[in-house]
């Protein structure tokens, strides 16, 4: 990889996007200075101060840990311009006003370091026009960078070059944004709204137009255009509310102001929909004003009715016949929808046809290849497939003919025909735009391969589009052993990989057997073992359903045996003679959390959610989770001059008793499930690369397993203190009697039971207490109610 280093970043503008970009930079440990105008009253940094305080309140949180907001350095343009000289990257993110941006560039130009990259975060303004005011020395280092909102969670970042941008600058920035920020980069041409918003907002406008044509309600449309259609679960109108109707209106206005019928044959569909205009007039801007297309009143969801200009009850669902159609294979699905007689089916075909039509007509103008369009729609709009992928899966020429027939019949939004390349030449012959050679570039008439920047060598299994060639983790490398539950394999013959294959990567007895076998093999022939299962989740926990048949046939002794085997598996991982590294992505709950904490090291994707959640089904952690909490408390207490273990135990006990889950890798570190010696990785597709290298590094550093030590526990005094707090919570109505019973059992294990404070114990002793507590609960009627409720509804039962 190249050595362009981003040691410090300046973000200009403390508005919604600027402040959240700064927050994400803090998440990934990049020092950042947040600038804004000097406040007219009070401290000069008042605008930035208020923005940073607001970051702590936002949901979903832009920060991995809310208190990290204080790491953002505050600055204003009047007093602190000299600080820009120390910045390697300057991201301008002020309001979408060309004149304001140009004026700011003139002011900051003298303070920009000779090597610094300057980038404008804009959703659609011309990057080339923005660059014109910059000195000649800075123009080669200037480009557009478009983060999607919210920056922490949205994968897509569009990079936009000007005619004077140096190619290496874009490569350097793509490397940083990919590996440093964990984003998916698409390079867009400098056209209005770039790629994702150009396709996406045009699609939303087209959808609203078809809603009028077919007379459907917003709730039905959202039901049809959410997960059923392979798109974001929020659907069309709820998504608009989340984005903000003012933001959407701004992007629409960019299309209206910068395009015309001559430059976009769909321009006639870009009028502001009457319902959007009315909501804007009423200042009902969506989620931020608690009213938009939808409004929540108490527990009731209401939808806006344009005729009455008021809110009416929502909750109407789509006709299930179309739900069944949407589950059919792509080719059959599209034909069924096109031939549907009902308005809901005709509507679905219309919006899909419009998306194919618009993407094909504009591909050459807005993007280099069809890959850029499909990746932008996946990453920016939460689509399972981009428009070209779906088209290709359904049969390229068959769909093309159906779309062209609708265009000729005047049913489409524009009379513009599909481009000639759709029907003739390489695309038609290949059956689509994505091939093993690359994706279609209509400008050059070739299939272009992906960019081969060094940063992408860190992604062993990048996210592939339909039709693309590339390795798949399920079959890659050399398989050593494999069954229905686990695959043991290697990529490089140095480090062994264990990939769990069960549903939700649940830990069954067969998985435990596989992990035991993997450790044995790794100790004999490899430098280490990485537990990595390819996709999310890392593991949703122990496979309770797999245990039920044995429980029904034999009784609780079968559960005790199964729990004992899981505990022994965890200890085998901990005391292996080679390093075991857990590569955690997504959920690591219950047994998944225990698997992670018993590994020698964790390599954790930033957006991982880790916790011991067994109390949700009326159980306690049973595979060593409570033993880990007690041991870690003792280890942490060793660094203190005090002898009281309880302060070091409180966080872990509370996490287990309240089923706390870290909502980021950073928060999981505060809960003790991720350690400061562990590695947090911003990009999900780099997880395996980093984990393998971590295992090698530990091995080459002379890794030795930890000694099996005795350690002190808090004993009966610590238990009594915890129980006192629990009694107050029970008597105050904050927890139920069964919650009290479960928490008491947790307290008994983590304090070591009825022993003197400071008594030295080992892991086997605590695991016996843990196992007994688990088994006593599995036969408890209220726990069984919770388990059955979770299995049947997926939601916790409070009893």
């Amino acid at each position: 990889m190249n050595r362009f280093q981003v040691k410090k970043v300046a973000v200009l503008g403390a508005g919604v996007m600027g402040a959240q970009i700064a927050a994400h930079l803090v998440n990934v440990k990049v020092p950042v200075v947040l600038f804004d105008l000097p406040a007219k009253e009070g401290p000069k940094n008042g605008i930035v101060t208020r923005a940073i305080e607001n970051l702590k309140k936002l949901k979903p949180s832009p920060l991995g840990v809310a208190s990290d907001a204080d790491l953002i350095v505050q600055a204003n343009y009047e007093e602190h311009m000299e600080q820009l000289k120390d910045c390697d990257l300057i991201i301008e993110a002020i309001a979408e006003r060309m004149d304001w941006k140009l004026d700011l560039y003139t002011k900051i130009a003298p303070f920009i370091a000779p090597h610094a990259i300057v980038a404008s975060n804009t959703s659609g303004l011309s990057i080339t026009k923005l660059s014109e005011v910059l000195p000649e020395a800075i123009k080669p280092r200037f480009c557009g960078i478009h983060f999607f909102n919210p920056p922490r969670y949205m994968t897509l970042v569009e990079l936009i070059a000007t005619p004077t941008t140096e190619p290496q600058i874009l490569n350097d920035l793509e490397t940083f944004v990919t590996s440093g920020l964990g984003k998916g980069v698409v390079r867009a041409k400098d056209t209005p709204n770039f790629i994702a918003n150009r396709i996406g907002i045009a699609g939303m406008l087209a959808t609203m137009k078809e809603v009028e044509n077919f007379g459907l309600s917003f709730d039905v449309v959202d039901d049809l255009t959410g997960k059923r259609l392979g798109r974001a679960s929020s659907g069309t109108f709820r998504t608009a509310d989340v984005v903000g109707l003012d933001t959407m209106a701004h992007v629409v206005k960019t299309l209206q102001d910068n395009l015309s019928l001559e430059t976009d044959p769909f321009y006639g569909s870009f009028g502001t929909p009457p319902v959007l205009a009315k909501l804007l007039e009423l200042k009902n801007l969506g989620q931020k004003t608690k009213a938009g297309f939808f409004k929540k009143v108490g527990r009731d969801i209401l939808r806006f009715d344009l005729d009455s200009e008021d809110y009416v009850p929502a909750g109407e669902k789509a006709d299930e016949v179309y739900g069944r159609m949407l589950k059919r294979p792509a080719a059959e699905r599209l034909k069924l929808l096109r031939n549907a007689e009902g308005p809901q089916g005709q509507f679905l075909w219309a919006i899909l046809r419009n998306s194919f039509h618009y993407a094909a007509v504009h591909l050459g103008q807005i993007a280099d290849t069809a890959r850029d369009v499909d990746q932008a729609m996946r990453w920016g709009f939460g689509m399972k497939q981009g428009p070209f992928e779906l088209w290709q899966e359904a049969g390229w020429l068959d769909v093309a003919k159906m779309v062209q027939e609708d265009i000729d019949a005047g049913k489409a939004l524009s009379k513009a025909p599909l481009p000639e390349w759709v029907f003739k030449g390489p695309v038609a012959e290949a059956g689509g735009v994505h091939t093993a050679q690359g994706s279609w570039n209509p400008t050059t008439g070739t299939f272009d391969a992906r960019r081969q920047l060094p940063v992408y060598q860190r992604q062993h299994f990048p996210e592939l589009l339909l039709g693309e060639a590339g390795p798949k983790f399920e079959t890659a490398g050399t398989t050593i052993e494999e069954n229905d539950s686990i695959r043991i394999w290697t990529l490089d013959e140095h480090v062994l990989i264990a990939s769990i294959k069960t549903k939700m990567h649940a830990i069954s007895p067969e998985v435990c057997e596989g992990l035991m076998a993997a450790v044995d093999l790794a100790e004999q022939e490899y430098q280490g073992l990485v537990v990595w299962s390819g996709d999310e989740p890392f593991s949703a926990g122990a496979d309770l359903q797999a245990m039920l048949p044995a429980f029904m046939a034999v009784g609780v002794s079968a559960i005790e045996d199964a729990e004992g085997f899981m505990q022994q598996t965890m200890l085998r991982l901990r005391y292996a003679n080679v390093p075991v590294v857990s590569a955690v992505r997504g959920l690591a709950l219950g047994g998944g959390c225990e698997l992670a904490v018993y590994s020698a090291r964790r390599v954790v994707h930033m957006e991982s959610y880790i916790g011991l959640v067994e109390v949700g089904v009326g159980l306690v952690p049973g595979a060593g989770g409570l033993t880990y909490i007690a041991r870690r408390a003792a280890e942490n207490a060793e660094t203190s001059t005090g002898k009281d273990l309880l302060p070091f135990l409180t966080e872990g006990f509370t996490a287990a008793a309240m089923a706390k889950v870290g909502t980021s890798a950073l928060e999981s570190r505060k809960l003790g499930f991720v350690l400061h010696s562990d590695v947090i990785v911003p990009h999900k597709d780099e997880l395996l690369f980093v984990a393998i290298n971590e295992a090698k590094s530990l091995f080459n550093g002379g890794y030795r397993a930890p000694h099996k030590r005795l350690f002190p526990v808090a004993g009966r005094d610590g238990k009594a203190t915890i129980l006192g707090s629990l009694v107050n919570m029970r008597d105050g109505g904050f927890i139920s009697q069964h919650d009290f019973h479960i928490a008491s059992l947790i307290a008994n294990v983590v304090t070591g039971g009825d022993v003197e404070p400071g008594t030295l114990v080992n892991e086997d002793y605590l695991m016996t207490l843990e196992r007994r507590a688990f088994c006593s609960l599995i036969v408890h009627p209220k726990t069984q109610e919770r388990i059955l409720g979770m299995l049947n509804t997926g939601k916790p039962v409070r009893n």
Side-chain angles (χ1 to χ4, degrees):
M1 290 174 62
N2 67 61
R3 296 303 297 162
F4 174 73
Q5 301 240 352
V6 178
K7 298 183 287 293
K8 190 175 182 181
V9 176
V11 176
L12 312 182
V16 172
M17 285 301 291
Q20 292 199 45
I21 291 169
H24 188 58
L25 287 162
V26 165
N27 289 338
V28 296
K29 297 185 178 179
V30 177
V32 59
V33 186
L34 181 60
F35 280 81
D36 212 304
L37 295 166
K40 293 180 181 178
E41 297 179 358
K44 288 287 181 70
N45 285 337
I47 294 173
V48 176
T49 302
R50 286 191 292 275
I52 291 174
E53 286 304 308
N54 190 52
L55 289 173
K56 300 175 184 179
K57 304 171 187 174
L58 288 177
K59 298 294 179 185
S61 176
L63 292 150
V65 176
S67 59
D68 281 354
D70 299 330
L71 298 176
I72 300 172
V73 177
Q74 302 182 26
N76 65 77
Y77 303 126
E78 185 178 299
E79 298 176 309
H80 305 116
M81 295 289 265
E82 287 287 333
Q83 291 194 36
L84 291 175
K85 293 180 178 179
D86 299 326
C87 295
D88 308 291
L89 172 62
I90 298 170
I91 300 173
E92 171 270 306
I94 68 170
E96 295 280 274
R97 282 274 301 268
M98 178 73 73
D99 54 340
W100 291 359
K101 289 177 184 280
L102 294 177
D103 179 61
L104 180 60
Y105 294 174
T106 302
K107 291 176 180 176
I108 67 169
F111 302 94
I112 296 172
H115 70 285
I117 296 175
V118 184
S120 174
N121 180 70
T122 173
S123 60
L125 295 179
S126 169
I127 304 302
T128 302
K129 287 183 180 177
L130 286 171
S131 73
E132 290 172 357
V133 73
L134 290 168
E136 293 301 315
I138 297 175
K139 284 182 179 180
R141 295 179 277 120
F142 178 79
C143 64
I145 184 168
H146 181 207
F147 287 86
F148 271 62
N149 190 23
R152 171 184 164 186
Y153 300 97
M154 296 302 290
T155 301
L156 180 62
V157 170
E158 293 174 315
L159 297 184
I160 310 97
T162 74
T164 56
T165 305
E166 282 185 6
Q168 188 57 45
I169 291 296
L170 231 58
N171 290 346
D172 289 343
L173 190 54
E174 181 166 347
T175 296
F176 171 68
V177 170
T178 300
S179 194
L181 303 186
K183 300 303 174 188
V185 172
V186 165
R187 294 195 187 182
K189 294 185 178 180
D190 191 9
T191 55
N193 289 349
F194 314 127
I195 296 174
N197 273 344
R198 179 71 175 273
I199 299 285
I201 297 300
M204 292 180 83
L205 289 172
T207 297
M208 292 181 188
K209 197 171 185 69
E210 299 294 1
V211 167
E212 293 177 33
N213 292 343
F214 292 101
L216 303 179
S217 64
F218 305 144
D219 39 6
V220 167
V221 170
D222 276 3
D223 191 34
L224 288 169
T225 59
K227 283 189 175 179
R228 293 175 187 262
L229 202 60
R231 298 183 178 180
S233 58
S234 49
T236 300
F237 293 101
R238 177 65 186 140
T239 296
D241 278 350
V242 172
V243 169
L245 304 192
D246 52 343
T247 302
M248 181 180 173
H250 171 77
V251 179
V252 170
K253 192 172 187 304
T254 302
L255 292 177
Q256 294 168 342
D257 291 349
N258 294 283
L259 296 171
S260 65
L261 271 176
E262 288 71 36
T263 56
D264 193 319
F266 294 78
Y267 188 76
S269 302
F270 293 165
T272 303
V275 65
L276 178 59
K278 176 54 67 175
L279 287 167
L280 292 169
E281 180 188 325
L282 295 171
K283 294 186 169 48
N284 292 356
L285 305 180
Q287 186 170 276
K288 67 181 76 175
T289 60
K290 299 184 179 178
F293 288 106
F294 295 99
K295 178 181 180 180
K296 189 173 183 181
V297 179
R299 293 187 176 183
D300 297 325
I301 303 294
L302 308 179
R303 62 175 169 81
F304 186 71
D305 178 69
L306 183 58
D307 292 335
S308 64
E309 297 185 8
D310 202 355
Y311 287 85
V312 299
E316 190 179 353
K317 296 292 183 181
D319 190 326
E320 194 50 44
V321 68
Y322 300 109
R324 291 194 294 272
M325 283 185 188
L326 290 172
K327 292 178 180 178
R328 307 300 298 169
E332 185 181 347
R333 184 192 325 156
L334 295 191
K335 287 173 183 174
L336 285 169
L337 293 174
R338 189 180 186 227
N339 296 324
E341 295 182 0
Q344 294 180 24
Q346 293 171 15
F347 162 77
L348 284 169
W349 164 249
I351 64 171
L352 291 171
R353 175 201 64 215
N354 295 339
S355 70
F356 301 148
H357 189 189
Y358 195 85
V361 167
H362 290 91
L363 173 58
Q365 300 170 28
I366 65 175
D368 289 331
T369 72
R371 181 191 307 106
D372 297 319
V373 169
D374 281 347
Q375 285 182 326
M377 298 314 293
R378 277 189 179 204
W379 295 338
F381 278 80
M383 291 186 176
K384 187 177 180 182
Q385 291 179 304
F388 289 119
E389 285 185 280
L390 175 56
W391 183 349
Q392 183 166 329
E393 184 184 9
W396 184 264
L397 286 177
D398 287 342
V399 174
K401 288 171 185 173
M402 290 192 292
V403 173
Q404 188 61 53
E405 285 172 6
D406 277 15
I407 296 169
D408 295 340
K411 296 179 181 179
L413 295 177
S414 168
K415 295 179 181 178
L418 291 174
E420 187 176 351
W421 57 260
V422 170
F423 294 101
K424 298 178 182 179
V427 171
E429 293 165 9
V433 291
H434 303 305
T435 69
Q437 293 73 42
S439 293
W440 180 247
N441 183 330
T443 304
T444 60
T446 58
F447 292 107
D448 291 357
R450 290 176 174 235
R451 280 186 298 283
Q452 295 298 309
L453 296 180
V455 68
Y456 293 120
Q457 300 306 308
R458 296 169 62 88
Q459 299 181 11
H460 289 304
F461 303 101
E463 188 178 316
L464 296 175
L465 301 175
L466 179 81
E468 279 194 298
K472 296 183 178 180
F473 72 86
E474 296 92 341
T475 55
T478 303
T479 299
I480 311 300
E481 293 181 22
E482 185 171 14
N483 56 38
D484 290 341
S485 298
I486 195 167
R487 180 183 179 222
I488 302 169
W489 57 291
T490 181
L491 266 179
D492 60 4
E493 299 184 353
H494 298 293
V495 172
L496 202 60
I497 303 167
S499 296
I500 301 170
K501 295 169 57 180
T502 54
K503 184 178 180 181
M504 297 292 285
H505 302 144
I507 302 172
S508 64
E510 292 76 19
V511 169
C512 289
E513 289 174 5
L515 290 171
M516 289 276 213
V519 172
D520 289 343
L521 189 58
E523 287 181 333
Q524 295 167 20
E525 301 179 26
Y526 294 87
Q527 296 179 7
L529 171 66
V530 169
V531 182
W532 176 84
S533 299
D535 52 11
E536 297 187 39
F538 175 71
S539 174
D543 190 347
L544 284 176
Q545 286 181 301
M547 298 181 189
L548 288 179
F551 175 54
M552 299 300 290
V554 180
V556 74
S557 63
I559 297 293
E560 185 164 8
D561 289 344
E563 285 299 301
F565 188 41
M566 282 188 69
Q567 291 175 340
Q568 291 309 306
T569 302
M570 301 306 165
L571 292 176
R572 184 75 179 93
L573 296 176
R574 172 166 166 74
Y575 294 108
N577 289 323
V578 291
V580 177
V581 178
S582 279
V584 179
R585 174 185 165 197
L587 299 175
L589 304 179
C593 175
E594 289 164 319
L595 173 56
V597 299
Y598 275 86
S599 301
R601 189 67 52 89
R602 284 139 297 280
V603 173
V604 188
H605 178 231
M606 176 71 70
E607 295 305 323
S608 294
Y609 306 91
I610 307 174
L612 297 169
V613 297
E614 286 84 353
V615 297
V617 288
L619 294 169
V620 299
L626 300 182
T627 300
Y628 168 80
I629 288 170
R631 176 174 57 78
R632 284 293 299 162
E635 290 169 351
N636 289 332
E638 279 186 341
T639 63
S640 169
T641 55
K643 295 184 179 180
D644 187 4
L645 275 170
L646 199 57
F648 300 95
L649 196 59
T650 303
E651 185 73 63
F653 165 78
T654 304
M658 296 181 66
K660 282 188 177 182
V661 175
T663 56
S664 69
L666 298 173
E667 191 169 89
S668 295
R669 189 161 60 191
K670 290 181 76 72
L671 294 176
F673 301 133
V674 175
L675 306 182
H676 283 280
S677 55
D678 295 332
V679 183
I680 296 175
V681 178
H683 201 295
K684 63 181 177 60
D685 292 337
E686 294 187 2
L687 201 61
L688 181 59
F689 173 88
V690 176
I692 288 173
N693 279 282
E694 193 70 14
K696 290 179 179 178
S697 176
L698 288 169
F699 179 84
N700 290 327
Y703 176 81
R704 302 289 297 179
H707 285 291
K708 294 183 178 181
R709 295 178 181 274
L710 297 175
F711 52 89
V713 289
R716 61 176 69 93
D717 290 359
K719 178 182 172 181
T721 303
I722 295 173
L723 288 179
S725 298
L726 291 175
V727 167
N728 291 335
M729 294 179 70
R730 181 197 61 194
D731 294 349
F734 297 105
I735 59 175
S736 70
Q737 177 60 38
H738 196 49
D739 290 328
F740 174 81
H741 176 58
I742 297 167
S744 300
L745 291 174
I746 292 173
N748 186 64
V749 177
V750 298
T751 59
D754 190 19
V755 296
E756 288 292 326
T759 297
L760 297 178
V761 302
N762 60 23
E763 288 165 308
D764 287 329
Y765 168 79
L766 288 177
M767 282 185 171
T768 299
L769 296 181
E770 193 173 323
R771 195 165 63 248
R772 288 173 182 169
F774 186 95
C775 292
S776 73
L777 286 167
I778 203 79
V779 296
H780 196 293
K782 287 193 176 293
T783 285
Q784 291 179 357
E785 281 179 28
R786 292 191 182 188
I787 292 172
L788 290 173
M790 181 64 76
L791 291 175
N792 291 332
T793 68
K795 297 178 181 178
V797 174
R798 294 266 65 90
N799 59 3

